[in-house]
């Protein structure tokens, strides 16, 4: 029946039941507050420790990833700088740079001037003309901050070219090239 304190009568009112039965018997965790709190608080503490361990591991891994990302960025910058450096091949000089140099400094070997170019002129034609006009290009030009500049400066390079053309003209046989 139903007793004053709940669904079942108190243990001392049960006939034929040992009063120590309920103290010795393990009740479900819902009723055993002491038992319920202890394992839960222990597992909670374990979870807190595990979370802290995981945070430390995450920090370490973040530091490794950050370090690797920094190294990747550094290497990418080096690659970009190396791509901008000349390779020692005239064909690797951008066509726009070739045209600018030919317009600005003229030919090293003749008094020829650069004609007005058509838009669809082939790169190979410009490279050939650039080679003829600048047979010792890498001896007199350097690549600085992404631009080709004469080692002697603009005025010095213009003088050098004028002197070289004059010397070649004096050595040229009459009526020949």
């Amino acid at each position: 029946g139903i007793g004053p304190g709940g669904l079942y009568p108190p243990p001392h009112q049960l006939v034929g039941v040992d009063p120590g039965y309920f103290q010795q018997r393990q009740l479900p965790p819902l009723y055993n507050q002491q038992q319920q709190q202890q394992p839960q608080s222990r597992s909670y503490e374990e979870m807190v420790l595990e979370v802290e361990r995981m945070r430390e591991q995450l920090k370490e891994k973040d530091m490794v990833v950050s370090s690797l990302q920094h190294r990747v960025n550094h290497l990418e910058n080096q690659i970009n700088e190396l791509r901008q450096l000349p390779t020692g091949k005239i064909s690797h000089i951008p066509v726009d740079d070739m045209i600018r140099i030919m317009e600005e400094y003229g030919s090293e070997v003749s008094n020829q001037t650069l004609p007005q170019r058509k838009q669809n002129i082939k790169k190979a034609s410009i490279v050939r003309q650039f080679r003829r006009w600048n047979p010792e290009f890498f001896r007199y030009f350097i690549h600085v901050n992404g631009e080709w500049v004469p080692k002697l400066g603009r005025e010095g390079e213009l003088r050098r070219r004028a002197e070289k053309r004059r010397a070649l003209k004096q050595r040229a046989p009459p009526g020949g090239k």
Side-chain angles (χ1 to χ4, degrees), residues 1-23:
I2 299 178
L7 292 176
Y8 300 105
H12 67 276
Q13 290 181 354
L14 292 175
V15 179
V17 175
D18 178 17
Y21 172 80
F22 290 103
Q23 278 91 20

Side-chain angles (χ1 to χ4, degrees), residues 99-112:
I99 293 170
R100 179 188 61 80
I101 290 166
M102 289 191 290
E103 287 173 345
E104 191 170 340
Y105 299 101
S107 173
E108 190 173 307
V109 294
S110 72
N111 285 322
Q112 194 177 0

